Structure formats: structure tokens, C-alpha cells
Amino acid sequence: MPNPWDSLLTGTWVLNQAVSKYPDSRLPKPAKFVMELRLSRGEFSCKTMSERDGRLRTIQWEATIGGMPHVSDEAGIIAVNWQRENRPDQALSVQTRYNPNRDHESSIDDVWTLSADGKRLTSELVYHVPKNAQDKRDIRVTRVFDKQP
């Protein structure tokens, strides 16, 4: 039986600039951020397009929820799992590692939750900066995406 998230999560999501929070100047809010997501029976694909400082960046990756992580030079090592701990609703946990086992290794823990009506996706992102960074504090961002018709 398909997961109800399959149809709810699948689609194009645009960053809502007004309600998203990027409080740390080390990670400024992008001028534009769009995600194209596909979820079907645990197979997840994501294409992101972001614009910051006049530069457009596109990253595409696929992973099986709860399966082996996606590995690429472009996207890093990405693992996707269902998260149920301390959550009133079901959420996706997306974990990314960059430059593993190096001085400049960094990682992202990102928890995605859907609104009850399936029209808003909230991403609570924590960026763990590299060990050799001057400012070693984690960067916390709340990204809110609206589903496009």
C-alpha cells in the first residue's frame, strides 16, 4: 500500500521567502530556491535549484528511504529515513556529509515535516560546520516551502 506522503510530497516546492528564517550571516537566504521532489514506495528523488549572489546551482540525487545512502561528489553522502522520535506527525530525516574523514568535513541534519493539508513543507536544518572553521557554531535554518499547483 502506498504511503500517503507519496502523493503529498511529490511535486514542485518553492521557498517562501517571507516565513523562512536564515538568522546566521554565514548562510544567507538564497534569492531563489526550488525543489522538485518525487517519492514512490520509498524511492526518493530530489532536484534543487538555488540562486545566491547571482549564481545558479542545481543538484540532483536519488535515495531509497531507509536504504543505502546516495554518494556523489556534487551532493555528498545523503541518507534519507523516516523520523518518528518526539514528533506528533511523520517526518523525513535527510542527513548529508561532505568531505568525510577530512579536516574540512561538514554535515547537515535536516528534518522535513508536511502541513496537515500537504501544501507546506518545513525544513529544520542544522549545518555542522567543518572542524577547521573559524566560527565553529552550528548554523540553524528554518526553510518553509509552498507546493506549487
Side-chain angles (χ1 to χ4, degrees), residues 5 20 23 25-27 31 40 43 61 64 72 86 91 93 96 99 104 107 119 131 136-137:
W5 268 51
S20 294
S25 63
R26 293 175 293 162
L27 183 61
S40 178
E43 297 299 318
W61 54 273
T64 300
S72 75
N86 302 319
S93 171
T96 308
N99 306 305
H104 54 282
S107 64
K119 294 180 181 178
K131 294 174 186 170
K136 295 180 178 16
R137 293 175 297 139

Side-chain angles (χ1 to χ4, degrees), residues 11-79:
T12 301
W13 298 86
V14 175
L15 183 71
N16 183 318
Q17 296 281 348
V19 295
S20 294
K21 297 175 185 160
Y22 284 74
D24 194 311
S25 63
R26 293 175 293 162
L27 183 61
K29 189 181 293 187
K32 181 178 182 181
F33 195 103
V34 177
M35 292 193 304
E36 292 177 4
L37 305 177
R38 301 284 174 265
L39 177 61
S40 178
R41 293 189 161 92
E43 297 299 318
F44 186 75
S45 68
C46 177
K47 179 179 180 181
T48 63
M49 295 150 288
S50 62
E51 183 180 335
R52 187 178 277 128
D53 299 326
R55 293 183 303 204
L56 186 64
R57 181 175 185 201
T58 301
I59 296 176
Q60 190 165 346
W61 54 273
E62 297 178 355
T64 300
I65 296 176
M68 294 297 292
H70 168 90
V71 180
S72 75
D73 290 338
E74 177 185 51
I77 301 171
I78 300 174

